[in-house]
Amino acid sequence: MCHLTGKSEPVAPSEDECKAVVGEPAPDFELESDLGGKARLSDLRGKKVVLYFYPKDNTSGCTMQAVNFQAALDKFEKAGYVVIGVSRDSIKSNTNFRNKQGLKFPLLSDADSEVSKLYGVLKLKSMYGRKYLGIVRSTFVIDENGILTAEFRDVKAKTSVADLEKALGIS
């Protein structure tokens, strides 16, 4: 389990202690879904999952990535994948984002960052001289048995979905 320190300066969790490991069971979680209720990874056993973490609703890069996932959703579903997006935004923000962009897949709220820590996607970032912990755009592929089969970290918003399709052989 990863922990953030209580220091005044943000400290990123160590990648070694936080990272989900390919070939091992994907860390299970339960998060609030913009589609209502809770979503649990373990409830998706028997299905393949594309779990992608994105920094912020309604930003240009995150919008581009989400729209690209939506455009390719039929391909992913035909290949047996469920697509799920995760951010640290509120459910209200996730719902507004999904509705505005016409997304047909769930967005989950990791407001307390616990799942982001489990998957090792938090990184110390800097904007205008202010340091903060933010999500590094990352995608994880989980098989029907709940095993993490692939990870793609620090991906580019513009090309991440096409790159994933190619890697999974569904393009």
Side-chain angles (χ1 to χ4, degrees):
M1 176 72 74
C2 307
H3 299 283
L4 302 180
T5 68
K7 297 179 182 179
S8 59
E9 280 284 313
V11 176
S14 160
E15 282 190 25
D16 291 336
E17 69 182 9
C18 302
K19 201 183 290 187
V21 178
V22 172
E24 293 186 7
D28 197 13
F29 60 81
E30 176 179 285
L31 290 175
E32 198 171 346
S33 171
D34 68 333
L35 298 176
K38 301 279 186 178
R40 288 177 202 80
L41 182 61
S42 56
D43 288 347
L44 296 173
R45 289 283 156 77
K47 298 179 182 181
K48 297 182 280 187
V49 178
V50 169
L51 181 68
Y52 85 97
F53 290 81
Y54 64 97
K56 189 109 178 97
D57 291 336
N58 292 306
T59 57
S60 60
C62 295
T63 298
M64 179 186 309
Q65 185 181 28
V67 168
N68 288 345
F69 265 117
Q70 181 57 46
L73 191 59
D74 283 345
K75 290 181 198 176
F76 282 103
E77 289 175 345
K78 284 179 184 165
Y81 290 93
V82 173
V83 174
I84 300 172
V86 179
S87 75
R88 298 187 323 162
D89 294 304
S90 69
I91 282 300
K92 181 178 180 182
S93 177
N94 287 163
T95 301
N96 290 340
F97 181 49
R98 183 176 47 78
N99 290 341
K100 183 177 180 181
Q101 300 306 323
L103 306 177
K104 304 294 185 211
F105 55 87
L107 301 177
L108 309 182
S109 174
D110 184 26
D112 65 4
S113 303
E114 287 302 312
V115 176
S116 297
K117 291 177 210 173
L118 284 174
Y119 282 82
V121 298
L122 289 180
K123 180 180 177 184
L124 193 58
K125 296 181 175 186
S126 181
M127 183 182 290
Y128 307 118
R130 183 179 74 86
K131 292 182 179 182
Y132 66 97
L133 283 174
I135 288 181
V136 175
R137 192 179 312 280
S138 303
T139 303
F140 299 87
V141 179
I142 302 160
D143 74 9
E144 301 90 337
N145 299 311
I147 304 299
L148 181 62
T149 59
E151 64 178 16
F152 304 87
R153 294 178 180 272
D154 203 12
V155 299
K156 304 296 179 217
K158 185 175 185 176
T159 60
S160 68
V161 175
D163 292 345
L164 181 62
E165 287 178 88
K166 185 176 179 180
L168 296 176
I170 61 172
S171 54

